[in-house]
Amino acid sequence: MFEEIQVSEPIGLEAYESEVHLYADVAALRAEATRLVPKLRGRTVWMVNSTSQGGGVAEMMPKLVSLLVEVGVRCRWGVIRSDRAAFFPLTKRIHNMLHGQDGGTLDAHDRALFECVNHRNASDLGSMIAPGDILVVHDPQPLALGALLKKNHDITTIFRTHIGLEHETPITQQAWAFLKPYAETYDATVFTAEAYVPPFLAARATTIRPSIDPWSHKNRDLTPHKLMGVLCNAGLQRVTQPVLTPAFEHQAVRLGEGGDPLEDIGLFFRPIVTQVSRWDRLKGYHPLLLAFVELKRRLARGAIRLGDRHARRIELARLVLAGPDPSSIQDDPEAHDVLRSLTTSYAELSPELRNDIAIVTLPMQSRKENALIVNAVQRCSTVIVQNSLEEGFGLTATEAMWKRAAVLGTHAYGLRCQIRDGIDGLLTKNPEDPNEIADHLDALLADGHLRELMGNAAQRRVHAESLVFSQVAAWLRLFDAL
Ligand code: UDP
């Protein structure tokens, strides 16, 4: 049932240390490790979640585990398995309810199923853990496992949840009531933001921000040659010269019949406004599309003075709305509907507007290629938008900020936590108001100096608060505190 996952991450601290901007971060982590790791006295830290692939937790785990191991912690990672078909639909329901979405009622039958699957996994893991070990359970799926093991083993347990809503609702209360008997047995809980902590856990909750790996394929620096190569390999740039690397087996696809087939998007030449996200209504793609149309119409109406550089910039600007190929994500039926309604709105636009807007699906078969495409598209962008109506954190914003992009976020809680309005980027108050979004796009496109200042501030902020090194150090401090 329970399965241990082996981690092999090729890049270690010595490599990160060689980069001038990261040297101090690695040094700070090493110093914390020298101080704190001996105090663990050989205890094993177990990280447990529900999947080794897909989703932010699985994405973060290999680097987190490998860095903990590298600084001397005996850290192992495992995932729970289920042979009951109804288990993951149940935990998905709980997940949605913690985000405030309706998930029906949770009854005694659900509880029995939840405990049964957790119980089997707990028996497997129970034979591997030793007294004194530290068990970190990520998200609600394996939550009962920690509570069960705690009963019969002398271990320290930590519940780390990556989800939450900034205010309580009857729905979130119901989900927390279901989880409470397990959650309250834990020695500590870790949330992404203070606002997500339910009152009954307040006394033993801390916060650790999600973080990014600056050298992952999604975030690492790309030389112009590499960047152009990725765009060509992915089918996002017409190939006019021999390219070192072969075309990706699965290509990015521009949807709709609007784009002139002879013309590529011009990612390398034009001012580009981008949003890369999942096709989810809450990501606010549709109002963003309308805002971009409004911007172009302002130009056509003469509301933006023709002849100057800014008018020319808006004339040339293109909008790229990108997200994963929905056929590759079975558990997200909503993605098809969101994408369909977006392409329907797009099809109703004039040919000129359609030419200036690209709705692109990105292949998901290779995580590396997908990450490189996201990286390349973000690096070609003059403005990166994350127009979320709600956002738990918004790693897309972190990734954009790290690349020193001018970022346009919203007042959604997760984005507000990251982007200081007017300093690291701009925030739209009402992400459903195309006029307000258009005003912000206009302001950012008009002022290159402002974009540069905000991009620099944004990168500094991610550097200070959201890199994986400080996350590892935060874990070490928490282990020590316990
Ligand atoms: N992402 C990706 N490929 C895509 C679209 C999104 O890799 O085609 C990534 C994106 O770069 C980010 C993550 O998916 O790392 C989304 O995380 P975020 O916190 O922004 O939102 P969530 O999807 O968790 O709501």
Side-chain angles (χ1 to χ4, degrees):
M1 271 289 200
F2 181 84
E3 187 189 343
E4 181 163 4
I5 307 293
Q6 301 303 329
V7 172
S8 72
E9 281 282 299
I11 300 174
L13 288 176
E14 209 177 292
Y16 288 109
E17 216 165 25
S18 69
E19 187 173 321
V20 61
H21 308 294
L22 300 180
Y23 182 84
D25 304 84
V26 176
L29 170 59
R30 285 194 199 278
E32 282 294 71
T34 307
R35 190 169 71 85
L36 299 173
V37 172
K39 297 205 217 171
L40 284 170
R41 293 198 202 92
R43 294 161 200 263
T44 299
V45 173
W46 290 88
M47 296 283 176
V48 175
N49 73 316
S50 64
T51 176
S52 60
Q53 264 182 2
V57 181
E59 175 129 356
M60 235 158 43
M61 206 62 92
K63 184 91 292 161
L64 177 62
V65 172
S66 75
L67 288 184
L68 281 168
V69 169
E70 188 173 347
V71 297
V73 179
R74 288 165 65 167
C75 184
R76 294 164 77 173
W77 172 27
V79 298
I80 59 162
R81 300 277 185 221
S82 165
D83 55 0
R84 300 280 294 272
F87 178 73
F88 286 118
L90 165 65
T91 57
K92 177 80 189 177
R93 213 145 55 82
I94 297 172
H95 176 104
N96 289 340
M97 289 172 76
L98 290 174
H99 278 298
Q101 315 272 314
D102 193 10
T105 50
L106 297 167
D107 58 22
H109 178 75
D110 295 324
R111 190 173 294 287
L113 172 66
F114 190 67
E115 290 187 1
C116 168
V117 172
N118 269 278
H119 193 274
R120 289 175 177 210
N121 283 282
S123 324
D124 292 349
L125 179 56
S127 61
M128 300 159 89
I129 55 176
D133 282 357
I134 299 171
L135 172 64
V136 185
V137 163
H138 292 258
D139 283 340
Q141 299 94 333
L143 186 62
L145 165 141
L148 288 162
L149 287 172
K150 180 89 182 164
K151 274 189 198 156
N152 303 319
H153 295 78
D154 176 21
I155 54 172
T156 301
T157 50
I158 302 172
F159 172 41
R160 199 289 186 243
T161 177
H162 299 260
I163 51 187
L165 195 70
E166 66 183 293
H167 49 269
E168 281 196 300
T169 72
I171 296 174
T172 61
Q173 281 168 345
Q174 207 204 334
W176 279 118
F178 182 88
L179 299 174
K180 190 174 176 199
Y182 321 109
E184 63 190 3
T185 70
Y186 279 72
D187 297 300
T189 56
V190 181
F191 286 80
T192 292
E194 244 170 64
Y196 298 164
V197 183
F200 76 95
L201 291 175
R204 60 192 114 161
T206 50
T207 55
I208 296 183
R209 274 173 177 242
S211 63
I212 58 167
D213 169 4
W215 278 18
S216 68
H217 291 298
K218 191 168 294 164
N219 297 312
R220 70 185 168 96
D221 226 348
L222 298 174
T223 62
H225 285 81
K226 176 76 186 167
L227 204 165
M228 184 57 110
V230 171
L231 296 180
C232 289
N233 291 164
L236 284 171
Q237 172 70 46
R238 202 144 19 97
V239 182
T240 54
Q241 294 279 335
V243 177
L244 182 67
T245 44
F248 296 159
E249 189 185 343
H250 301 277
Q251 301 269 293
V253 176
R254 182 171 178 179
L255 301 182
E257 63 258 45
D260 179 344
L262 291 179
E263 191 181 313
D264 59 34
I265 303 169
L267 288 169
F268 239 80
F269 300 94
R270 290 171 179 263
I272 300 289
V273 176
T274 305
Q275 175 163 302
V276 184
S277 260
R278 286 181 301 105
W279 305 109
D280 184 320
R281 198 188 67 78
L282 294 178
K283 299 295 182 185
Y285 278 107
H286 195 251
L288 174 58
L289 175 100
L290 298 181
F292 191 76
V293 168
E294 164 62 20
L295 193 63
K296 291 279 182 172
R297 289 195 176 137
R298 285 182 189 175
L299 182 69
R301 283 202 300 272
I304 292 164
R305 207 158 45 82
L306 272 173
D308 70 8
R309 177 69 65 83
H310 180 45
R312 175 78 173 143
R313 190 172 289 118
I314 292 190
E315 185 190 337
L316 294 181
R318 290 198 156 161
L319 174 68
V320 178
L321 302 177
D325 173 5
S327 62
S328 60
I329 306 173
Q330 283 89 7
D331 69 349
D332 199 357
E334 196 187 300
H336 287 279
D337 298 340
V338 171
L339 193 52
R340 202 173 304 120
S341 92
L342 202 59
T343 49
T344 305
S345 302
Y346 171 78
E348 288 161 2
L349 299 172
S350 68
E352 295 76 30
L353 283 169
R354 290 205 303 262
N355 236 7
D356 284 342
I357 298 173
I359 302 177
V360 180
T361 61
L362 308 181
M364 297 298 288
Q365 287 85 352
S366 158
R367 294 248 311 267
K368 174 180 172 184
E369 288 172 7
N370 179 275
L372 281 170
I373 300 170
V374 172
N375 191 345
V377 170
Q378 286 184 331
R379 285 186 189 279
C380 289
S381 305
T382 314
V383 178
I384 298 181
V385 187
Q386 189 55 53
N387 193 48
S388 304
L389 279 53
E390 298 275 358
E391 193 63 78
F393 187 69
L395 276 174
T396 48
T398 329
E399 292 154 5
M401 290 166 78
W402 177 246
K403 297 176 180 94
R404 288 197 293 141
V407 183
L408 175 56
T410 69
H411 275 253
Y413 190 75
L415 298 174
R416 208 159 16 102
C417 286
Q418 298 190 70
I419 306 164
R420 292 165 300 177
D421 195 10
I423 299 174
D424 313 302
L426 294 181
L427 296 181
T428 299
K429 287 201 175 60
N430 178 3
E432 293 184 283
D433 176 4
N435 267 311
E436 193 196 342
I437 306 165
D439 289 345
H440 289 318
L441 289 177
D442 193 7
L444 284 173
L445 286 170
D447 192 341
H449 184 58
L450 180 73
R451 290 198 302 275
E452 204 169 306
L453 285 180
M454 286 183 168
N456 286 342
Q459 190 184 48
R460 273 207 313 276
R461 189 148 164 93
V462 173
H463 190 173
E465 308 213 10
S466 303
L467 290 188
V468 66
F469 314 106
S470 53
Q471 191 189 40
V472 173
W475 278 109
L476 292 177
R477 283 192 293 273
L478 178 62
F479 299 149
D480 183 54
L482 291 172

